Amino acid sequence: MKRRDFIKTVAYSSMLSPGLSWSKQKSKNKYLILIELKGGNDGLNTVVPYNDKLYYSKRPGINIPTDKVIKLDRQIGLHPSLTSLADLYKQGELSIIQNVGYPKPNKSHFTSIDIWERASRNKRSNGWLYELFDKNNTARLIDSIVFSGSTGLFRGPKSNFIKIKTISSFIKEAKLLENETTISNPNNKNQQYLINSNNLIKKVANELLNKTSNTKWGSLANKTPLDRQLSQVSELINTNIDIPVLKVAIGGFDTHADQPESHYELLKELNNSVASISNYLKAKNLWNNTLIMTYSEFGRRISENGNNGTDHGEASCMFCTGGMVNGGIYGGKLDLSNTHKDNLIYKIDYRDIYATLERNWFNVENTTLPNSSLKFI
Amino acid sequence: MKHIQIIKSACLIIMFISSSSYAISIAEARHLWSRTGFSQTELLINNHQDMSRVDAIKSILDMTLYTPPLKSLPEFDNAIYSALKSKNISKKEKQKIKKNNIKKDKKILQSWWYEQILSTTNPLQEKMTVFWHNHFTSDLQKVFAPYMFKQNQIFRQNALGNFEDMLYQFMHDPAIHYYLDNIKNKKQNPNENLARELLELFTLGEGDHYSEQDIKNIAKSITGYRINFKNQKLDFKKRQHDNSFVTIFASSGSYTIDGVLRLILSHPKTAEFITEKLWREFISENPDKHEVKRISEKFRESGYEIKLLISDLLHSEHFWEKQNYDSLIKSPFDLLTSTAYLLKIDKSDTNKLPSLLANAGQKLFFPPDVRGWRGSTYWLSTELIIARKKMLKKYIKKVIKLNKKTNPKYSSILSERLTSKRQFFAVGEAIPRKITKPIDKLIYLLMNDKYNFK
């Protein structure tokens, strides 16, 4: 058994043993940070199959030259802007899951992200995380704060999340809602929605005010929109507030044209922000309580499209990092010869990743999905 | 059995006639007013007791075919934009143009639309212009101001006109080809972006009624269109067009944009999709399938007359069901225009409006993505619930300050304006007597949670 695994086992067993009430009081909360890469990230230029001739022949204009790739093994390597992610990989704290997708892929941005967020194709089902927390009766005020991007993961009949820009502006502005909500038709679901949201905002603003009274905002890197969101997230984690999911987003991945420049900037922004939050959390000894995961609605076509860009595709890769991650490469090899209409064929159903998170991260009793063998955490 | 059936249908007919020919109540007048972009307010407030449903709807839809903008049109230096796209311009010059002109033009364009919205005599036309802008999205972030303006004029000219005409003009206008990368769609290297959204968002709506192959074939059929930046028109380059034989919705041939649009318009799903979207805008969030089908068939048979479609929706019994009153959530645009009406502003600082609306989630010309603003409870997200109140507060403060400067009696004008009928139109109730100051009365109305609904 490796040392890291041993520590993990100990950590798990202490979390799972019931009678330790002292540890419950003192325990630090766990956080899942989700980073949505909006627009459909090009997996093949993120985790590059640099040893595959097909990759270079199908992407003559936009490929990452072999000498620029940050090589992870003999087959694949990272985009040159992902230097800090490469460091995390070397430290065994980054897992890369390749070939992630789902059957009969949909290429609409909106439908595909919807499928990801509901963990289902059924347009009537609730969001995956709404369902999970609802089944396990967590009785929290809210389960999530969304700083940017879509909120479908938490969609359900009762509001269990808030969407805000910054904590301090939220607390300040919530005062505008001090009066009782009055409506004319309580049977109308939109009017009911307003009442519930108003009540929720007031309660959450109060709770955040109490928890963050000593927080000094803005101590982290503050250069990009993602930086600004993640610095809020890290300060919040430092307060040990009981909100298990914190969601952020970065847009612009719909690279139909002139991809190399824009994709470089986007991945650099991602890399730098993740570096900065991981350094902060490590320094605060909170890295083992945090899991950061990226996701995107779909990958992109294997061949470039002639505008130095790529069109909507199918399977793609995901990153997972944190102190408890079993670093490595999951999901099998990239296969550019056996494809579906010039797209990567998925080998890992995204719901297997959710299943692992449910059991190995949230440690819930009532799971929504069948067991998965994917043990990246 | 038969007798009962006959009596039943006779009763239904009588009920229908009676409800549509009787004078409308003030509550019904308010419902119609709030759903049609605050059109014909004075008439509905003062004369509803003399109007039947048919009269009232007619009064709103019977405006001139097209009301041209009141404000003089914005002017742009077109030479700059064609220079920007020419090959013999240095990087430095490009940067200079971007810094000096492009930003300024974006502001000019936005201010122009806000002034137009606040001064128009045909609010329903402006409301529908916003509707089509949100349906056939393009983004000022990516597309130059003069092009966005031209597209905006297409929406305004056809706002209540003919959908088929609008679709043809829109697809032969450069803006959408730039926004969705179709100017890069080549015979050798197809780009599917516009083809996909044309079906999914603009006409048929997503579903099993078309295939991935249809999209690929439409992408082929709309290759070869390029923007002429000198005259700002769309050129057709035959050499770059893929004229191969393709199959689209089971019809085979070699097509260009017009051929593709003909196929789309002869598909019954197009009328259904548009009808359902307008149902959600005007009636409720629960479209009745059979009624949508019936109305959409009439829409298609009429050759896609939008005014007829809206008229049918407003005449539908579903529109007048009490449970639908105050059941829709006002967009920030709705909030602002209904407030502008209450304030009866002479002067307004339109420069600030874009940022105010942006904070409330709806900066016109800048939709969040190609699908546009989602509407409904998205406007009441925890983030936006507060922002819309802030928007209204800031807005009325600005307007009052500005108008007081030029007219010291503005407070008393405002006070007279907030009659009990107008209070009722705003929030469905009267302001409590203990509130006396005009500004406080106004704040009571606008901060009232009921003001969020229409």
Side-chain angles (χ1 to χ4, degrees), chain B residues 104-119:
Chain B
K104 196 185 78 206
D105 282 354
K106 284 183 181 177
K107 279 196 176 151
I108 290 174
L109 178 62
Q110 290 179 77
S111 294
W112 178 83
W113 196 4
Y114 288 106
E115 279 172 27
Q116 166 63 14
I117 285 166
L118 295 175
S119 63

Side-chain angles (χ1 to χ4, degrees), chain A residues 9-20 359 363:
Chain A
T9 317
V10 173
Y12 277 139
S13 49
S14 72
M15 257 179 287
L16 293 172
S17 7
L20 301 169
R359 288 174 179 81
N363 307 113

Side-chain angles (χ1 to χ4, degrees), chain B residues 37-38 113-115 117-118 330-345 348-350 352-358 360 362 364 388 390-396 399 446 451:
Chain B
F38 319 100
W113 196 4
Y114 288 106
E115 279 172 27
I117 285 166
L118 295 175
K330 279 184 189 165
S331 66
F333 165 82
D334 290 334
L335 280 178
L336 205 69
T337 41
S338 54
T339 307
Y341 162 72
L342 282 176
L343 289 163
K344 199 184 182 215
I345 35 164
S348 176
D349 185 356
T350 43
K352 294 279 182 287
L353 288 181
S355 63
L356 282 179
L357 251 89
Q362 192 183 24
L364 295 178
R388 49 205 265 138
K390 254 175 74 181
M391 169 185 88
L392 288 176
K393 254 199 172 156
K394 273 195 185 164
Y395 177 62
I396 54 176
V399 171
L446 304 191
Y451 197 61

Side-chain angles (χ1 to χ4, degrees), chain A residues 108 111 163 173 189-191, chain B residues 200 206 326-327 382 390:
Chain A
S108 150
T111 307
K163 187 174 185 201
E173 290 166 357
K189 75 170 183 34
N190 283 341
Q191 297 202 11
Chain B
E200 180 182 330
E206 216 233 327
D326 287 313
S327 67
T382 38
K390 254 175 74 181

